[in-house]
């Protein structure tokens, strides 16, 4: 007869990154062992992300945090999160408020268009902030991020 029953472990929160590997090459990031000159590709499909959002554990929905640099936020993703029954929030990294500095930091082609796309996606998230919380992370670098 078992006198003490082991406590079942449940996940109360779940962090979901929108990419397997970051699609940027920020000069300050060194990703242990990764050749920064190599191209980084994501193999995480939107279906995999949506399946993670739909996770149900012990009939409870863990709080989820979508971690992203903002480039891959879509209306479809926002709709998927709207259907989620638990708490959800975005944690978005924005490396500079200045488009030129942002481009110098992320070190990828078409950086000006990426800045515009990311800021538009942040605006989409901010428009529904009463339903889905968001946090913008800005990395302060002397003479680069805030002018």
């Amino acid at each position: 007869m078992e006198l003490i029953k082991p406590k079942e472990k449940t996940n109360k929160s779940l962090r979901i990154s929108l990419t397997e590997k970051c699609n940027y090459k920020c000069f300050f990031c060194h990703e242990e062992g990764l050749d920064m000159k190599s191209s980084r590709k994501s193999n995480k499909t939107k279906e995999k992300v949506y399946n993670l959002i739909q996770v149900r554990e012990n009939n409870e929905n863990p709080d989820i945090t979508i971690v992203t640099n903002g480039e891959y936020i879509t209306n479809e993703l926002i709709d998927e999160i709207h259907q989620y029954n638990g708490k959800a929030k975005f944690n978005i990294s924005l490396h500079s408020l200045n488009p030129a500095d942002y481009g110098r930091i992320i070190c990828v082609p078409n950086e000006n268009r990426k800045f515009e796309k990311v800021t538009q996606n942040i605006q989409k998230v901010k428009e529904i902030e009463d339903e889905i919380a968001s946090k913008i992370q800005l990395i302060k670098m002397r003479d680069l991020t805030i002018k």
Side-chain angles (χ1 to χ4, degrees):
M1 180 164 95
E2 194 173 320
L3 294 177
I4 300 174
K5 186 175 182 177
K7 185 177 180 180
E8 292 182 29
K9 185 177 180 180
T10 60
N11 287 333
K12 294 182 181 176
S13 65
L14 178 64
R15 288 177 58 91
I16 302 171
S17 174
L18 291 187
T19 56
E20 292 289 333
K21 294 182 180 176
C22 185
N23 54 317
Y24 290 173
K25 295 181 181 180
C26 301
F27 66 80
F28 58 82
C29 180
H30 57 87
E31 288 193 338
E32 298 294 329
L34 180 66
D35 177 9
M36 291 304 289
K37 294 177 185 156
S38 67
S39 177
R40 296 184 246 179
K41 304 266 188 228
S42 173
N43 61 358
K44 187 183 288 183
T45 64
K46 64 182 176 183
E47 288 76 20
K48 285 182 185 179
V49 171
Y50 298 163
N51 285 340
L52 286 171
I53 292 171
Q54 296 170 358
V55 163
R56 305 290 189 265
E57 245 185 67
N58 297 331
N59 297 322
E60 292 183 24
N61 296 315
D63 294 350
I64 60 170
T65 302
I66 307 293
V67 180
T68 179
N69 57 27
E71 186 174 351
Y72 295 123
I73 296 172
T74 63
N75 291 334
E76 187 178 6
L77 173 64
I78 291 172
D79 290 343
E80 190 70 31
I81 292 172
H82 269 282
Q83 296 173 26
Y84 183 70
N85 291 325
K87 290 182 182 178
K89 69 179 179 179
F90 281 94
N91 187 340
I92 306 168
S93 297
L94 180 65
H95 299 314
S96 179
L97 301 174
N98 178 295
D101 291 341
Y102 182 83
R104 286 197 298 268
I105 293 169
I106 67 170
C107 303
V108 296
N110 302 313
E111 67 274 353
N112 288 336
R113 279 189 265 149
K114 290 194 184 293
F115 179 82
E116 185 177 315
K117 182 176 184 179
V118 168
T119 54
Q120 288 172 354
N121 288 342
I122 289 172
Q123 185 60 39
K124 286 180 197 175
V125 171
K126 289 301 212 179
E127 288 171 4
I128 56 164
E129 195 167 44
D130 58 328
E131 300 167 45
I132 301 171
S134 63
K135 175 181 169 182
I136 309 294
Q137 289 189 189
L138 183 67
I139 299 170
K140 187 174 180 181
M141 289 179 268
R142 188 176 338 165
D143 300 326
L144 255 184
T145 53
I146 302 174
K147 291 185 178 183

